[in-house]
């Protein structure tokens, strides 16, 4: 009798423990379906009306610089709304012309052009243009853009100098850059703390653009920290402000896929987004999700959709990393992939760019060369989980078992951020 009672107690204990450890579902389609099913967004309609107004002004006077600058701003907004590269390139053309004809306040047009170049991954050109603005007026705005460019180019010492010069704990633009700096340094708590301060300032200003930036970036950082419910809540807050926000919808799709393991719902969201937003990398996300479903045919189709999209030469250098990884992982065309990796290093010599080259070399079987690049340019120079996974794989290829074990424990904590398929790679280390 006592033994039976003991077994009963143990079974109840196991059931309770199982219930306690069971992961709860985060997403609820009722929260966001209204945003997925909405027709042309108000922001898109307003942008089109504004564009008609400013383009009419330009036609009346081809040197109407204010009209050109405002039209460029609308084109940049349209690019964020629908992901159409045409809008980003049209913005570039108008800004370049504005720089040419501006007699006063040229630095403002130069900074806008620099930010456009950053969006196109033309970082060295962005640096030259931003420095031109700095020479004309070394104010906080020019230092902020130079900080942005320096971070993209891996010039971290210079970035820190610019950040120190613009330090102001009450300034939104400083706080979001301080958050980015802390993220680079691997201090996620400080990153979130500064973004939360920035969010308060944005909400007090009631500026929709600042609020959207705050909500989506905070959602990302909360996800990195494992605060998935907070992440989800902030993506929803972004959609309340802008129902067309593709980035927030993509974030919710990632939660559905990576955390809830609800791949069907994730695909539903991404497919709805692709009706109005045409960014090539969304096809790669779909390819990953259907791979998780073991649907090889759909994976192949989505990769082909991606490759067809990036044939557009206007994308320039924007998808070098994605293309290199596809060539290496899917087609084993390592030499072509390495050419793109080297191009990325030339364009953007960051630890992540060197990691790309080291990873491809490791896939190719050049283990010693991969290890040398990783140790020289990547190890202890980035806290990105993907880079750490590649380092661990390179260590494994070079039979450095203890170093692999040390990284594996840390990587297992990044399961949500890396996704279910990559999580399997971690477990196989």
């Amino acid at each position: 009798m006592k033994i039976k009672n003991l077994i009963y107690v143990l079974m109840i204990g196991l059931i309770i423990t199982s219930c306690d450890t069971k992961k709860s579902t985060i997403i609820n389609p009722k929260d966001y379906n209204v945003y997925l099913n909405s027709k042309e967004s108000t922001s898109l309609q307003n942008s089109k009306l504004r564009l008609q107004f400013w383009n009419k002004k330009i036609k009346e006077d081809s040197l109407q610089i204010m009209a050109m600058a405002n039209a460029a701003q609308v084109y940049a907004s349209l690019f964020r709304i629908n992901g159409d590269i045409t809008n980003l390139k049209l913005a570039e053309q108008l800004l370049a012309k504005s720089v040419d004809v501006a007699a006063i306040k040229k630095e403002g047009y130069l900074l806008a052009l620099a930010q456009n170049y950053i969006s196109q991954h033309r970082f060295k050109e962005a640096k030259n243009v931003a420095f031109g603005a700095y020479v004309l007026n070394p104010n906080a705005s020019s230092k902020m853009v130079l900080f942005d460019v320096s971070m993209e180019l891996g010039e971290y010492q210079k970035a820190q100098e610019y950040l120190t010069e613009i330090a102001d704990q009450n300034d939104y633009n400083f706080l979001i850059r301080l958050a980015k700096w802390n993220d680079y340094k691997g201090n996620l708590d400080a990153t979130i703390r500064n973004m939360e301060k920035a969010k308060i300032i944005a909400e007090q200003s009631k500026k929709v653009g600042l609020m959207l930036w705050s909500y989506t970036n905070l959602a990302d950082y909360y996800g990195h920290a494992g605060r998935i419910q907070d992440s989800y809540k902030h993506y929803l807050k972004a959609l309340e402000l802008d129902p067309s926000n593709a980035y927030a919808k993509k974030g919710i799709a990632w939660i559905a896929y990576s955390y809830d393991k609800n791949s069907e719902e994730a695909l539903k969201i991404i497919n709805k987004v692709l009706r109005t937003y045409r960014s090539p990398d969304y096809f790669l996300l779909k390819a990953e999700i259907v791979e998780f479903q073991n649907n090889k045919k759909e994976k192949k189709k989505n990769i082909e959709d991606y490759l067809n999209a990036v044939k557009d030469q206007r994308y320039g250098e924007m998808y070098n990393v994605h293309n290199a990884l596809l060539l290496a992982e899917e087609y084993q065309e390592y030499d072509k992939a390495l050419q793109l990796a080297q191009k990325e290093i030339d364009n953007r010599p960051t630890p992540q760019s060197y990691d790309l080259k080291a990873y491809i070399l490791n896939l190719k079987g050049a283990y010693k060369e991969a290890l040398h690049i990783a140790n020289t340019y990547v190890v202890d120079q980035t806290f990105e989980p993907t880079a750490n996974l590649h380092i661990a794989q390179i260590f494994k290829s070079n039979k450095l078992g203890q170093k692999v074990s040390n990284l594996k424990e840390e990587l297992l904590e990044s399961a949500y951020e890396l996704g279910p398929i990559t999580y399997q790679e971690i477990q196989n280390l």
Side-chain angles (χ1 to χ4, degrees):
M1 187 69 179
K2 289 182 179 179
I3 293 174
K4 287 183 179 178
N5 287 340
L6 179 59
I7 292 172
Y8 175 76
V9 170
L10 287 172
M11 287 178 65
I12 293 297
L14 286 170
I15 292 168
I16 292 171
T17 303
S18 175
C19 291
D20 287 344
T21 58
K22 186 179 179 181
K23 190 170 65 174
S24 60
T25 299
I26 296 293
I27 65 162
N28 182 350
K30 292 179 181 178
D31 295 333
Y32 54 80
N33 273 343
V34 63
Y35 307 123
L36 298 181
N37 297 323
S38 58
K39 296 180 181 179
E40 187 173 271
S41 68
T42 303
S43 56
L44 182 59
Q45 292 171 351
N46 290 341
S47 292
K48 288 180 176 179
L49 289 173
R50 283 161 50 214
L51 192 59
Q52 289 175 3
F53 175 80
W54 291 117
N55 277 339
K56 184 180 177 183
K57 293 283 187 182
I58 295 170
K59 288 176 183 177
E60 290 173 355
D61 179 358
S62 62
L63 297 181
Q64 170 61 265
I65 189 167
M66 182 177 291
M68 288 192 296
N70 280 291
Q73 190 176 43
V74 179
Y75 278 125
S77 176
L78 282 169
F79 174 70
R80 289 191 292 272
I81 292 169
N82 62 22
D84 187 344
I85 188 65
T86 302
N87 292 317
L88 191 62
K89 299 300 289 187
L90 287 170
E92 177 198 345
Q93 292 173 19
L94 288 170
L95 289 169
K97 190 171 183 180
S98 298
V99 168
D100 287 340
V101 302
I104 58 172
K105 297 184 178 180
K106 181 176 286 198
E107 64 272 19
Y109 306 118
L110 286 167
L111 292 178
L113 183 58
Q115 290 169 326
N116 181 284
Y117 285 157
I118 290 173
S119 296
Q120 295 187 55
H121 289 205
R122 293 162 62 180
F123 302 115
K124 290 182 179 178
E125 291 173 87
K127 179 182 178 181
N128 291 336
V129 172
F131 192 75
Y134 176 81
V135 170
L136 290 173
N137 188 353
N139 59 11
S141 295
S142 59
K143 291 173 184 176
M144 286 175 188
V145 177
L146 282 168
F147 166 84
D148 298 338
V149 176
S150 298
M151 291 295 290
E152 297 291 353
L153 288 170
E155 297 173 352
Y156 301 118
Q157 180 61 43
K158 201 67 186 172
Q160 187 176 29
E161 291 172 12
Y162 289 126
L163 190 65
T164 301
E165 290 177 16
I166 62 172
D168 181 355
Q169 289 289 335
N170 296 312
D171 183 80
Y172 175 86
N173 289 300
F174 167 72
L175 287 170
I176 63 173
R177 288 169 172 83
L178 182 59
K180 185 173 183 177
W181 176 257
N182 280 300
D183 185 46
Y184 153 70
K185 298 293 285 184
N187 190 342
L188 188 53
D189 288 342
T191 298
I192 290 173
R193 187 166 60 249
N194 285 298
M195 272 308 308
E196 287 173 339
K197 289 180 184 177
K199 181 185 79 166
I200 293 170
I201 294 173
E203 289 175 336
Q204 290 173 343
S205 75
K206 299 191 185 304
K207 293 180 179 178
V208 172
L210 300 189
M211 292 165 70
L212 280 172
W213 177 268
S214 303
Y215 293 153
T216 53
N217 277 269
L218 254 180
D220 287 349
Y221 291 136
Y222 284 143
H224 299 336
R227 296 168 58 178
I228 314 302
Q229 188 68 56
D230 288 332
S231 177
Y232 178 61
K233 182 177 76 173
H234 279 74
Y235 286 133
L236 290 175
K237 286 170 75 71
L239 289 174
E240 287 175 21
L241 284 177
D242 177 16
S244 68
N245 193 286
Y247 191 85
K249 293 173 187 176
K250 182 183 178 183
I252 292 172
W254 184 262
I255 293 173
Y257 161 62
S258 186
Y259 189 84
D260 288 348
K261 305 297 185 293
N262 188 344
S263 56
E264 289 296 334
E265 184 66 18
L267 282 175
K268 184 194 86 174
I269 296 169
I270 295 299
N271 284 331
K272 290 284 182 96
V273 171
L274 282 170
R275 292 180 180 178
T276 56
Y277 188 82
R278 304 296 290 181
S279 182
D281 55 292
Y282 281 57
F283 292 114
L284 291 181
L285 175 55
K286 281 186 65 179
E288 178 177 343
I289 296 170
V290 295
E291 182 182 1
F292 175 71
Q293 297 176 331
N294 201 30
N295 190 334
K296 294 179 181 179
K297 182 179 178 181
E298 276 298 305
K299 178 187 175 183
K300 181 180 178 182
K301 178 185 178 301
N302 280 288
I303 289 175
E304 289 173 352
D305 287 342
Y306 164 81
L307 290 173
N308 286 329
V310 295
K311 283 179 182 176
D312 191 329
Q313 294 185 351
R314 292 176 299 177
Y315 284 116
E317 312 296 328
M318 292 171 68
Y319 289 97
N320 282 347
V321 174
H322 299 78
N323 293 341
L325 288 171
L326 269 182
L327 285 168
E329 294 176 340
E330 297 297 325
Y331 305 110
Q332 290 75 54
E333 295 186 21
Y334 302 119
D335 291 337
K336 288 183 180 180
L338 285 168
Q339 288 175 8
L340 283 177
Q342 187 58 53
K343 184 183 283 190
E344 190 68 6
I345 289 171
D346 294 340
N347 184 43
R348 189 184 199 179
T350 61
Q352 287 81 6
S353 296
Y354 282 103
D355 165 66
L356 177 66
K357 183 175 183 178
Y359 172 62
I360 295 168
L361 284 167
N362 190 60
L363 290 177
K364 185 181 178 181
Y367 302 139
K368 295 298 180 186
E369 189 179 355
L371 181 63
H372 172 71
I373 292 174
N375 280 331
T376 306
Y377 299 105
V378 187
V379 175
D380 296 328
Q381 296 185 51
T382 178
F383 295 91
E384 289 294 323
T386 300
N388 282 335
L389 173 60
H390 294 163
I391 292 168
Q393 291 168 331
I394 291 167
F395 285 161
K396 182 179 180 180
S397 298
N398 285 275
K399 298 180 170 39
L400 300 171
Q402 186 55 54
K403 289 189 174 183
V404 174
S405 297
N406 294 341
L407 277 173
K408 183 174 181 178
E409 185 176 346
E410 181 181 337
L411 285 165
L412 287 170
E413 297 176 1
S414 303
Y416 165 76
E417 191 173 348
L418 292 170
I421 292 176
T422 306
Y423 182 68
Q424 292 299 319
E425 294 180 41
I426 299 169
Q427 290 183 313
N428 293 332
L429 285 171

